Amino acid sequence: MNDNHSLLADLKRRERDGKPITIGLVGTGEMGTDIVTQVSLMPGVRIGAIVELELAAARKAIAVAGLADGVGREADDTATVPKIIAAGGIALTSNHLDVCDCEAIDVLIDATGSPSFGARLAIDAFDHGKHLVLMNVETDVTIGPLLQRRADEAGVVYTLGAGDEPSATMELVRFVQTLGYPIVAAGKGKNNKFDRYAVPRDYEEEAARRNMNPRMLVEFVDGSKTMIEMAALANATGLVPDVPGMHGVDAGLAELPGLLCPREDGGLLSRRGVVDFSVGRGVAPGVFVIVETRHPRIRERLEDLHVGKGWYHLFHRPYHLTSLEVPLSAAEAVLYRKAAMQPLPRRYAEATAVAKRDLQPGETLDAIGGYAYFGTILSAADAGEHRAIPLGLCEGARVTQPIKADEYLTYANCRPDADQPIVRLRHEQDELLAPIAN
């Protein structure tokens, strides 16, 4: 097999030349640990540095990956980082600027999930001329268009990581669009319990069993993560949520095309071109795109190939590999300046927040997946009408007016923490980029 022009061939070449792509990894929770392990199996790519507030977590990730004892070495200062890398080690530091400033680092991966920190990291990465691969979708849905502009100005790649559900769906979107098939709906399966009012204390045992942070587990259970991911997909494609929160149908693969299609054809949708999700069996952990096929010859062939019958056909990828695919995005950013997924210049959807319980003036809001609110998706125009606070600005915000359970968090009843860089950057984005009207 001749793979002279493949990613594998190019990585093998980097390996032979002793010039592996060197990654600065930020965060070694569940996903970050996966990345350390996955990279250890690949040719032509390596982890050069890890940024982690708790260095013991970074050392644990290295041990889980099965790397040699002592390969992780704490960096005393910025000057120590390149020395450790040059000696074949992994530099460990709690200061992301140590890694941003290191010439030996080719690309950064943000695996933190913190919108506020993600904003600081992105700006500092671009200021230092570093490509950035984002697993931190929370940051992208808050200030993605502005970060894309900053990356373009710096001449670097800004991309969401391959393997996460938004980018896995994006692969299908590009595929069907290239074939000329109009998209009716695109989205994902949700495979865990869906409880909008879930709180961390009720998931401590399950989180411990799955080696997860309880709050991050709740971010999945209460639907916030699904809303964030589909907002990211919307803002990269121009698709929109049909209704606030999406339909979230309970349908398997065979039923999806008949439900996520226009009302005039027996479905639920008031429009074509939407993002949505399913809680039905057999969809998760995959992603899907539903297209409209009006040409009789194309319909005939798709039916003959057992893709489905009728006007609407579903394309399904039955898996997504999350963190295990992310190193591919790091490699492609460096080698080809290629992005797996990027936001469009304007917003089409907004990840917003709804109160889980009654909130009182003076309360300071906790993080996504906590006790105060759950995430939901609105079209950008609807979010503007509600004056809804972007979900990524909620942590640290102060409640200024009483908020009933199930009410939106808005600029009228909450005040974001103006000292957070992400709040200032979002204000800058709002000044520059208007949302798309419904």
Side-chain angles (χ1 to χ4, degrees):
M1 178 179 177
N2 187 338
D3 63 353
N4 287 337
H5 300 292
S6 71
L7 176 60
L8 175 60
D10 290 336
L11 289 177
K12 285 181 176 178
R13 191 172 298 113
R14 296 285 292 236
E15 184 82 10
R16 288 196 303 270
D17 293 344
K19 296 178 180 179
I21 292 168
T22 303
I23 296 170
L25 174 64
V26 186
T28 49
E30 181 184 28
M31 297 301 180
T33 299
D34 288 348
I35 291 170
V36 176
T37 305
Q38 180 61 55
V39 168
S40 72
L41 304 176
M42 297 171 62
V45 62
R46 62 168 295 199
I47 301 293
I50 295 174
V51 180
E52 176 59 72
L53 292 178
E54 300 291 337
L55 294 187
R59 292 191 178 93
K60 181 180 178 181
I62 290 170
V64 168
L67 299 177
D69 291 341
V71 70
R73 292 173 46 200
E74 185 172 349
D76 299 323
D77 51 34
T78 302
T80 312
V81 173
K83 295 176 182 177
I84 294 172
I85 295 172
I90 299 175
L92 309 181
T93 176
S94 59
N95 186 352
H96 71 279
L97 290 174
D98 289 344
V99 179
C100 289
D101 197 42
C102 178
E103 290 188 6
I105 296 295
D106 297 307
V107 57
L108 296 171
I109 297 176
D110 178 358
T112 66
S114 167
S116 182
F117 177 77
R120 293 198 303 272
L121 174 64
I123 296 301
D124 288 334
F126 302 154
D127 286 346
H128 287 81
K130 301 298 185 189
H131 305 301
L132 178 65
V133 178
L134 209 64
M135 291 197 73
N136 188 346
V137 190
E138 293 83 352
T139 298
D140 180 77
V141 296
T142 309
I143 55 169
L146 181 66
L147 294 182
Q148 184 62 62
R149 177 177 286 206
R150 293 287 186 90
D152 290 343
E153 291 170 351
V156 297
V157 174
Y158 167 70
T159 178
L160 294 182
D164 214 351
E165 283 146 312
S167 50
T169 314
M170 193 73 190
E171 290 182 7
L172 286 179
V173 166
R174 289 179 178 140
F175 172 68
V176 300
Q177 285 179 330
T178 303
L179 290 173
Y181 302 159
I183 293 175
V184 177
K188 57 168 279 186
K190 178 172 169 47
N191 62 353
N192 47 28
K193 183 179 178 181
F194 192 9
D195 177 5
R196 290 182 174 89
Y197 307 101
V199 294
R201 65 171 166 265
D202 295 333
Y203 286 86
E204 290 176 354
E205 182 180 337
E206 180 178 347
R209 188 170 66 250
R210 297 174 60 181
N211 196 29
M212 293 181 70
N213 180 303
R215 182 193 62 77
M216 295 193 76
L217 175 58
V218 168
E219 186 177 345
F220 288 91
V221 174
D222 72 9
S224 297
K225 196 72 170 181
T226 293
M227 304 298 161
I228 290 166
E229 290 170 338
M230 292 301 95
L233 180 65
N235 290 330
T237 60
L239 305 173
V240 295
D242 186 44
V243 295
M246 303 178 287
H247 292 284
V249 294
D250 186 356
L253 296 174
E255 295 79 33
L256 273 176
L259 287 175
L260 295 182
C261 71
R263 290 173 186 162
E264 60 264 29
D265 291 323
L268 299 172
L269 303 183
S270 65
R271 67 180 105 190
R272 293 165 170 83
V274 307
V275 291
D276 219 299
F277 69 102
S278 172
V279 297
R281 289 176 61 86
V283 184
V287 297
F288 65 86
V289 172
I290 297 168
V291 303
E292 187 171 7
T293 51
R294 292 286 171 175
H295 195 291
R297 179 71 178 198
I298 300 301
R299 288 207 335 271
E300 176 187 348
R301 187 57 53 235
L302 290 176
E303 290 178 11
D304 183 54
L305 294 169
H306 304 288
V307 178
K309 295 183 178 181
W311 301 113
Y312 302 101
H313 289 84
L314 178 138
F315 294 83
H316 177 241
R317 176 180 167 173
Y319 64 90
H320 70 285
L321 301 185
T322 59
S323 43
L324 303 185
E325 291 184 62
V326 168
L328 300 177
S329 292
E332 290 181 336
V334 175
L335 291 172
Y336 313 133
R337 304 188 64 81
K338 177 183 176 183
M341 181 174 170
Q342 296 174 318
L344 295 168
R346 296 193 179 195
R347 293 175 295 117
Y348 290 80
E350 194 81 73
T352 62
V354 173
K356 286 183 178 179
R357 56 177 174 80
D358 291 350
L359 301 172
Q360 302 303 322
E363 287 193 58
T364 299
L365 298 177
D366 55 4
I368 302 168
Y371 293 85
Y373 55 89
F374 59 84
T376 195
I377 187 174
L378 296 174
S379 70
D382 286 347
E385 289 181 12
H386 285 288
R387 298 188 64 215
I389 294 178
L391 188 60
L393 305 188
C394 289
E395 183 176 0
R398 297 275 287 182
V399 178
T400 58
Q401 297 291 331
I403 306 171
K404 296 286 189 183
D406 296 319
E407 289 183 347
Y408 289 111
L409 275 57
T410 73
Y411 287 105
N413 57 36
C414 284
R415 185 174 62 250
D417 181 2
D419 291 333
Q420 293 189 29
I422 195 169
V423 176
R424 298 194 297 271
L425 290 167
R426 177 55 193 243
H427 179 71
E428 181 181 342
Q429 177 175 285
D430 288 342
E431 292 289 317
L432 288 169
L433 308 171
I436 299 294
N438 281 342

